[in-house]
Amino acid sequence: MGLLTGKTAIITGAARGIGKAIALKFAAEGANIAFTDLVIDENGQNTEKEIAAYGVKVKGYASNAASFEDTAKVVEQIHNDFGSIDILVNNAGITKDNIMLGMKEEDFDQVININLKGAFNCIKHVYRPMMKQKYGRIINMSSVVGIEGNAGQINYAASKAGIIGMTKSVAKELGSRGVTANAIAPGFIKTDMTDAMSDKMKDAMLDHITVKRLGEVSDIAETAAFLASDKASYITGQVIRVDGGMSL
């Protein structure tokens, strides 16, 4: 049996990237997977097939995490389709980077609405089911930028710092009901974005990383699987930095 056998997980923004890696890891550990993305296109369909290969129940749902109404509908649909909601991973997020001088109001609002309000929307709608069943695991994707800040990412940093405050507050509200809430703060993770960087930029990043490599999406997925499991039942309200020692 896997770490998550028989559990149902909702993972937002999981058609690709870190969300997809988490979904595949959870499936490998026996969890049934309901994942969302803005649209379920070819990427989402392929992700569905890859997850199904583990022999678990899976379905991708088109939903806008920033919409309170959309989220209410999709969570209700998932609950009806799967019968329970045991794990929530708030992974959906975007960036709209610029320095304060050049940042447009709509770029600030959009990042906050998807990254922060999107997490609120999902937690709001799984809150009651988890509270009633007296069991749940909530995992929110923050960032080292939410802890340390970063020039040119005021909106993103604010959203990810907000995630930390939300996580700690939810942990205090739901701890007595058997529900934990934790945040993961990734550092520099190898993605399409970092692949496109110049060697000079990559070397500059590596200078700040103790283990001298970029993180892999699997590093985040392994951490999420542990936090979602019963092995982490006494861990709540924490921010786990997965950054290769950037903070040292």
Side-chain angles (χ1 to χ4, degrees):
M1 286 180 58
L3 281 176
L4 307 176
T5 297
K7 305 297 185 186
T8 295
I10 298 177
I11 304 166
T12 68
R16 67 183 78 190
I18 289 174
K20 178 179 178 178
I22 292 171
L24 289 169
K25 175 60 180 175
F26 281 19
E29 294 292 349
N32 297 314
I33 306 296
F35 71 91
T36 70
D37 222 300
L38 196 56
V39 294
I40 301 300
D41 55 11
E42 188 176 352
N43 284 314
Q45 292 165 7
N46 289 336
T47 297
E48 214 171 43
K49 291 175 185 175
E50 290 179 54
I51 293 169
Y54 286 98
V56 299
K57 183 174 180 178
V58 57
K59 187 174 180 180
Y61 299 80
S63 181
N64 179 6
S67 166
F68 191 83
E69 293 76 15
D70 264 19
T71 304
K73 289 176 184 176
V74 78
V75 170
E76 183 179 11
Q77 188 62 56
I78 290 168
H79 199 270
N80 290 338
D81 291 345
F82 286 80
S84 69
I85 298 170
D86 305 296
I87 303 161
L88 168 66
V89 180
N90 280 309
N91 171 74
I94 63 166
T95 58
K96 294 277 185 177
D97 295 347
N98 211 329
I99 61 170
M100 177 67 89
L101 191 65
M103 184 168 291
K104 299 176 182 178
E105 181 185 10
E106 56 264 35
D107 289 344
F108 183 88
D109 289 347
Q110 191 174 7
V111 169
I112 295 296
N113 284 339
I114 293 174
N115 296 10
L116 183 57
K117 186 169 184 287
F120 163 79
N121 291 339
C122 290
I123 294 170
K124 171 71 173 178
H125 294 298
V126 305
Y127 194 103
R128 194 177 298 277
M130 286 186 176
M131 188 170 63
K132 282 186 174 181
Q133 69 192 16
K134 295 186 177 179
Y135 181 90
R137 299 285 183 267
I138 297 170
I139 300 166
N140 297 320
M141 208 57 60
S142 183
S143 168
V144 293
V145 170
I147 300 170
E148 298 181 356
N150 196 32
Q153 288 193 305
I154 287 165
N155 49 1
Y156 186 74
S159 72
K160 295 303 185 179
I163 285 284
I164 292 172
M166 187 183 296
T167 301
K168 291 177 179 291
S169 299
V170 170
K172 289 184 175 183
E173 288 189 13
L174 287 176
S176 64
R177 296 292 185 132
V179 180
T180 66
N182 292 287
I184 297 175
F188 291 118
I189 305 300
K190 195 174 188 299
T191 60
D192 291 342
M193 183 178 69
T194 54
D195 286 344
M197 289 180 175
S198 68
D199 289 340
K200 184 177 180 181
M201 290 178 69
K202 288 179 183 176
D203 288 343
M205 287 195 305
L206 290 172
D207 282 343
H208 298 285
I209 301 173
T210 303
V211 301
K212 299 305 175 188
R213 69 169 178 87
L214 298 183
E216 302 285 347
V217 292
S218 59
D219 293 316
I220 308 303
E222 292 285 351
T223 305
F226 170 69
L227 290 174
S229 76
D230 289 339
K231 291 181 181 294
S233 63
Y234 204 57
I235 300 173
T236 194
Q238 301 305 304
V239 183
I240 312 297
R241 294 184 65 136
V242 186
D243 64 4
M246 274 180 61
S247 57
L248 299 177

